[in-house]
Structure formats: C-alpha cells, structure tokens
Amino acid sequence: MKFAEGKDKFIQSWGVIGSNWGINRTMAQIHALLLIAPESLSAEDVMQDLQISRGNANMNLRELIDWGLVYKELKPGERKEYFYAEKDMWDVVKKVIKRRKKKELEPMVKVLNELDNIEETTPEAEEFKKVLKDIKLFSAKADSTLDRLVNSENNWFVGTFMKMIK
Amino acid sequence: MKFAEGKDKFIQSWGVIGSNWGINRTMAQIHALLLIAPESLSAEDVMQDLQISRGNANMNLRELIDWGLVYKELKPGERKEYFYAEKDMWDVVKKVIKRRKKKELEPMVKVLNELDNIEETTPEAEEFKKVLKDIKLFSAKADSTLDRLVNSENNWFVGTFMKMIK
DNA sequence: TTGTACTTTCAATTATTTCCGAAAGGTAAA
DNA sequence: TTTACCTTTCGGAAATAATTGAAAGTACAA
C-alpha cells in the first residue's frame, strides 16, 4: 500500500472511530493528522489538508489542547502557532480515559449519591433501593479502578495485561 | 427523600448519563424505569410513565431487547407483551461493555489491520508506521483484556478489583 | 372470516449537533 | 499609532439524529 493512500484512509477512519467514541469527527481527524505528522503543523496546514474552515480548525484544535492530546509550539521569528500531538500512546490512552471517566462515570456517581435515604418501604421503594445499591457498588468500583489505571505507569498496563493475555 | 421524587430523578438522570454514553436518551430512560420496576410493564405503561409515543416506546424497547438488557414476557390469557429488565448488574455491565467494544474498538482493530505494508521509507511514512504499530499494540491489548473481563465470572471483577482498591 | 387487541413500520416533523465564513479581537513590528 | 498577520467568536446554514402519529401488519377468538 502506498503511504498517501494509507494516510488518507487512516485519517478518515480515525474520524469515524472518533465519532463512535462520542468525539467530534473533525477533532478526531485533526488528531490523526497530527499524530502521524513528523513535524508540527500550522492551523493553515490543517485547514488545507482536511479541507475545513478556519473556525472549525481553530475550535477543534483548542479542544484537543484542552484534552491534553495536542500542544502548541511557537517557532522563533514566526508569529504563526504550530501544533503537534502527544505521541506517547500510553499517555494518549490515559488522557482519553480520564476524559471519558469524567463525562461518563462521575455524573453517575454524583447522582447516585444524591438519591439516598428513601423513606418508604413499599415494594417499589425497596426494589429501587436495591437497584441503587447495586449500581453504586459497580460504579464506585469502576471509578476507583480507572483512577488506579490512569495513575499507574506504563508498565503496569503493559505488564499486567501482557501476562493476562498470555 | 420521597420515593416518587427519587424515582423521577433517577430516570431523568439515567437518561442524561445514557446520552453521555452515546445511548439514546429515551432508551436509557426506559431501561431505568424497568430496572426499578418490581413487576414487568407493558408498552402502554412505559408510554404513559415516560410520556412518549407508541413508536418511540416500541423502537427503544426492541433495541433494549437486542442489547440483552430487557426481556419479553407473555402473561397467560393476555395478548399484551410485558417487559422486564435484567437485574443482575454484573450481567448488565458485561452486556454494555460487549456492545461498546463492538462499536468502539473492533472497527479500529479492523482498520489498523488493513493499513499494513506501507512501502515507502520517507520520514512521513516511517512516522506513520511507528504510530500505527503503537496503536495496534494498545488496541489489541484493550480488546483482549475486555474479552477476558466480559467472559469472566462475577467474582473476578469484584474480587480482583476489591483487592486492587484495598 | 371477521372483529378485536395489540405490535410494527415509516414518512414527516422536530430537536440537536456540527460546520462555515465573515467579522471582531489581539499582538508585534514598523 | 498604524499596518499586517493571526486567532477567536458567533449567528445562521447544513447535516444528523430522535420522535411522533397514523397507517399497516399480525395473531387470536368467536
């Protein structure tokens, strides 16, 4: 396969995968583009390469920076800003997990904690309390497990799961 | 807190959480409603309780059945269908993980495998190959880890992570 | 076979999300 | 200052997704 073909396919696919991940398609494409770029790129480069508007490029670049997946670089003597991606995949994975945890898990834990102390003892209320208790158990567990995963060093994941999968 | 208030709040919140999970809000609400129902409910009950249309209720109930989170029940002598949710939370978690894995991870593995054999050896091509290799490493690992998790029994998760989190 | 009590489908509507591009905002050099 | 060059904001257009409601489909009992 030719590089140019592979590159296009990768960027397109990363966009599709991103949207399955609940991530804006363009954001994922910019990420893909920067991931495989050996040098940092300007907003202009990104716009041209992906054929998107200035506003769109700007918005999604900033979102990527906010996620910690992309960094700004200022080249001496140039006014333009350049962007490059975090290339340490373990770091990327950790940052994505952190984001998703915040978005997907933490609101759940929060709501569950607000739903305590139901007074009634009707069958409905009892069932409700039971379900809540179960969900709490799992979400608390998932929450702390992910924390541990995210705060662990590279080798833990690689090492542990290498063994797990033989 | 009163049961009725807690119930409403739970259903609403489950809807919001669901949409953060990339799951249709109504589908999540129906799931919440059935989760805390001590008895199975008819489509009619669901429509009334959530104030949604017949079509909507039907579609999302079937989707929930497809996920394996809800089952149909036929009461003898009645023509109506009744629905009840899977209440074993570990089972629910497994089924959700399975679904998300299929949607989020497997397309990625598939694409990556199609992107092999780049011929060129320019810096761009080399960077590309390197990134691909890294991503493959992680996605393959995540894939098999989740498989293992999903195929494991209840106690593995509870047991292992109980220890992990002290 | 017809009537009844449901379930399912689907075209049209409505809501939500994403994207564009022009205008406004900043900043550094002249 | 003013100019030149970038970045950011934002209202509305365009694309997607969810929802409705009515019509069509199905199965059972009489």
Side-chain angles (χ1 to χ4, degrees):
Chain A
M1 178 182 278
K2 279 279 194 300
F3 166 64
E5 184 194 344
K7 175 182 167 181
D8 277 5
K9 200 165 173 187
F10 177 66
I11 291 175
Q12 290 313 314
S13 304
W14 207 244
V16 173
I17 289 161
S19 59
N20 286 335
W21 281 50
I23 289 165
N24 180 307
R25 201 175 97 258
T26 306
M27 180 173 156
Q29 287 179 336
I30 296 177
H31 184 229
L33 179 64
L34 291 177
L35 257 189
I36 63 176
E39 303 291 344
S40 53
L41 304 178
S42 68
E44 204 74 33
D45 295 334
V46 172
M47 287 166 57
Q48 282 210 283
D49 216 318
L50 301 179
Q51 292 293 307
I52 58 176
S53 74
R54 185 171 297 285
N56 200 8
N58 181 264
M59 234 181 58
N60 286 298
L61 277 167
R62 285 197 301 111
E63 187 73 6
L64 282 166
I65 290 171
D66 194 47
W67 281 54
L69 297 177
V70 164
Y71 308 106
K72 262 187 195 174
E73 181 187 22
L74 294 168
K75 294 196 180 178
E78 285 198 72
R79 192 177 295 171
K80 226 183 300 188
E81 294 175 332
Y82 286 81
F83 303 90
Y84 63 99
E86 172 61 57
K87 302 245 174 166
D88 175 346
M89 273 304 150
W90 173 235
D91 205 51
V92 170
V93 169
K94 281 199 292 191
K95 281 169 172 168
V96 171
I97 291 176
K98 215 181 247 172
R99 270 294 169 142
R100 301 193 85 185
K101 179 164 119 49
K102 188 171 294 171
K103 186 178 168 197
E104 299 179 3
L105 202 55
E106 287 174 9
M108 183 155 133
V109 173
K110 186 164 166 295
V111 166
L112 292 173
N113 284 328
E114 289 168 3
L115 286 177
D116 233 326
N117 303 98
I118 300 298
E119 300 146 11
E120 289 96 323
T121 53
T122 58
E124 280 88 17
E126 289 302 328
E127 183 73 17
F128 185 49
K129 289 186 218 169
K130 188 158 144 286
V131 170
L132 280 190
K133 208 183 103 210
D134 272 13
I135 297 176
K136 254 187 215 176
L137 183 71
F138 275 98
S139 56
K141 220 159 268 177
D143 191 83
S144 55
T145 303
L146 287 176
D147 269 347
R148 176 167 270 242
L149 183 65
V150 160
N151 292 321
S152 72
E153 270 319 298
N154 185 359
N155 294 335
W156 182 78
F157 182 69
V158 176
T160 304
F161 289 127
M162 266 317 221
K163 271 179 255 153
M164 282 185 61
I165 62 178
K166 273 196 303 294
Chain B
M1 179 182 278
K2 279 280 194 299
F3 166 64
E5 184 194 343
K7 175 182 167 181
D8 276 5
K9 199 165 172 187
F10 177 66
I11 292 176
Q12 289 314 313
S13 305
W14 207 244
V16 174
I17 288 162
S19 59
N20 286 336
W21 282 51
I23 288 164
N24 181 307
R25 201 174 97 255
T26 305
M27 181 172 154
Q29 287 179 337
I30 296 178
H31 184 229
L33 178 64
L34 291 177
L35 257 189
I36 62 175
E39 303 289 343
S40 51
L41 304 178
S42 68
E44 204 74 31
D45 295 333
V46 172
M47 286 166 57
Q48 282 209 284
D49 216 318
L50 301 178
Q51 291 294 307
I52 58 176
S53 73
R54 184 171 297 287
N56 200 8
N58 182 266
M59 232 182 61
N60 286 298
L61 277 168
R62 284 191 309 105
E63 187 72 7
L64 282 165
I65 290 170
D66 193 47
W67 281 54
L69 297 177
V70 164
Y71 309 104
K72 262 187 196 174
E73 181 188 21
L74 293 169
K75 294 196 179 178
E78 284 197 72
R79 194 179 291 174
K80 227 185 297 191
E81 295 175 331
Y82 287 80
F83 303 91
Y84 62 100
E86 172 61 56
K87 302 244 176 167
D88 175 347
M89 273 302 150
W90 172 236
D91 205 52
V92 170
V93 169
K94 281 199 293 191
K95 280 170 172 168
V96 171
I97 291 176
K98 215 181 246 172
R99 270 293 168 144
R100 302 193 85 185
K101 179 164 119 48
K102 188 171 292 167
K103 185 177 168 199
E104 299 179 2
L105 202 56
E106 286 173 11
M108 182 153 132
V109 173
K110 188 164 164 294
V111 166
L112 291 173
N113 284 329
E114 288 167 6
L115 286 177
D116 234 327
N117 304 97
I118 301 297
E119 300 148 10
E120 290 97 323
T121 54
T122 59
E124 280 87 19
E126 290 301 328
E127 183 73 17
F128 184 50
K129 287 186 220 171
K130 187 159 144 286
V131 170
L132 280 190
K133 210 183 102 210
D134 272 13
I135 297 177
K136 254 187 216 176
L137 183 70
F138 275 99
S139 56
K141 218 158 271 177
D143 191 82
S144 55
T145 303
L146 288 176
D147 269 347
R148 176 168 271 242
L149 183 64
V150 161
N151 292 321
S152 72
E153 271 319 299
N154 185 359
N155 294 335
W156 184 78
F157 181 70
V158 176
T160 304
F161 289 126
M162 266 316 220
K163 272 178 254 152
M164 281 186 60
I165 61 178
K166 271 195 310 286

